[in-house]
Amino acid sequence: GVDVLIGGHADAGQEAPYVHPETGTLICQTYGQGTRLGYLKLMVDTHSGEILDHDGRLLVVESNALVPHPVVAAKLADYRARYPEVDEVVGRTKARLTRKYNAESDLGNLMADILLAYGSTDMAFVHSGGIRADLPEGPVTREDLLDAFPFIDFVNVLEMTGAQILDVLEQSFSLERGVLQVAGIKVEYDLSQAIGDRVRRVWVGGEPLQPERVYSVTTFDFLASGADLYSGFIGAKVVVDDGPEFAELLEAHFASGEPVAPPRGGRLVPVS
């Protein structure tokens, strides 16, 4: 009964409308951050209301070619004058670090690695919904880091059984709130299977995940509270609940002196 669905915000756009094979519903979605403008033109039978044809696509927004709006430009200039430290270069990257909502990403791996190193735990988890922008190649400012992670999330260390970890991984691959970015583990998953039965195999430090074994986990207090539908974290034992803000760890990592390279991948492996 729905002819057209239009979505946005999820940072996962579709260059052309997807036509549902059973209902014929047109599903359109733009990326986030104002980088695309969604365009959809419909040819409709005015008597029956049936959609006879469509033309849809995403138009690239060349923001640097647009004349700044004077009111917005004045507000930005005022804020930048108040907080000049935002424009300070805090580090560099060897290559652009990108994010993905429903798959493993360079930036997600980096953030998970930072958590793993801080907690010295078996594994670390980062929710993809908390990663809001890519990091450019070359100089990285404090503004870039704030764009990428604009939240006040504190680091927690938990103890979780293998069964609890499997539960949150299954929730991850339901794709209801994006996948968990991980460090310390490797996960094979199959999205063609039913939700709740998509995780095929999990390795922790090269060894198979044991359901009864207790593992140490570093993550954010956001996830530890069961947010973003990750209720499997709620039953975990909290070992450290007063860790630092992750934003501070992220900046310290870039301020260490060495240019940051994309981390090793191959952690979330789709199989069929």
Side-chain angles (χ1 to χ4, degrees):
V2 176
D3 296 308
V4 181
L5 285 173
I6 298 176
H9 179 69
D11 295 335
Q14 295 175 167
E15 296 298 332
Y18 172 78
V19 182
H20 193 282
E22 297 177 6
T23 67
T25 302
L26 299 177
I27 303 174
C28 315
Q29 182 161 291
T30 63
Y31 294 94
Q33 314 298 325
T35 61
R36 303 289 192 279
L37 179 67
Y39 172 88
L40 180 64
K41 183 177 181 179
L42 303 177
M43 180 182 290
V44 181
D45 186 316
T46 54
H47 296 288
S48 67
E50 178 186 1
I51 296 176
L52 304 177
D53 196 8
H54 71 274
D55 175 19
R57 56 191 181 274
L58 298 184
L59 307 177
V60 176
V61 177
E62 298 285 358
S63 57
N64 290 339
L66 301 176
V67 177
H69 191 287
V71 175
V72 176
K75 286 182 178 291
L76 285 173
D78 176 49
Y79 291 137
R80 290 186 186 281
R82 291 192 221 172
Y83 306 102
E85 64 272 19
V86 170
D87 287 327
E88 180 184 346
V89 174
V90 295
R92 300 182 63 86
T93 59
K94 290 186 176 180
R96 186 177 182 85
L97 299 176
T98 59
R99 73 205 188 285
K100 294 179 182 178
Y101 192 64
N102 285 332
E104 177 183 350
S105 70
D106 291 336
L107 191 48
N109 286 344
L110 174 67
M111 291 183 175
D113 284 348
I114 293 172
L115 284 178
L116 188 71
Y118 172 82
S120 297
T121 50
D122 295 313
M123 65 193 74
F125 294 120
V126 172
H127 55 295
S128 292
I131 308 173
R132 293 305 180 96
D134 300 345
L135 290 179
E137 180 178 358
V140 174
T141 66
R142 189 168 284 112
E143 180 180 1
D144 292 325
L145 297 182
L146 288 170
D147 283 343
F149 193 80
F151 303 105
I152 301 175
D153 282 351
F154 295 91
V155 178
N156 281 188
V157 175
L158 315 175
E159 287 184 352
M160 301 178 68
T161 65
Q164 290 173 317
I165 291 164
L166 185 60
D167 177 70
V168 298
L169 288 174
E170 287 289 5
Q171 173 58 30
S172 169
F173 294 111
S174 74
L175 306 185
E176 291 182 288
R177 289 295 187 275
V179 301
L180 290 173
Q181 307 290 327
V182 305
I185 66 173
K186 177 180 178 181
V187 186
E188 287 186 353
Y189 64 96
D190 184 356
L191 294 182
S192 69
Q193 301 301 310
I195 291 177
D197 192 33
R198 291 178 169 178
V199 177
R200 303 287 74 163
R201 292 189 291 180
V202 182
W203 292 269
V204 183
E207 299 292 331
L209 180 77
Q210 302 296 323
E212 302 302 323
R213 180 177 168 182
V214 175
Y215 296 91
S216 56
V217 177
T218 310
T219 189
F220 304 132
D221 59 343
F222 177 85
L223 280 177
S225 70
D228 262 6
L229 302 182
Y230 283 104
S231 58
F233 284 104
I234 296 177
K237 178 182 178 181
V238 180
V239 179
V240 175
D241 64 356
D242 58 352
E245 285 187 41
F246 177 71
E248 296 175 356
L249 295 182
L250 182 63
E251 181 172 329
H253 184 78
F254 276 86
S256 62
E258 291 294 323
V260 176
R264 175 188 57 81
R267 307 178 189 189
L268 304 179
V269 183
V271 298
S272 59

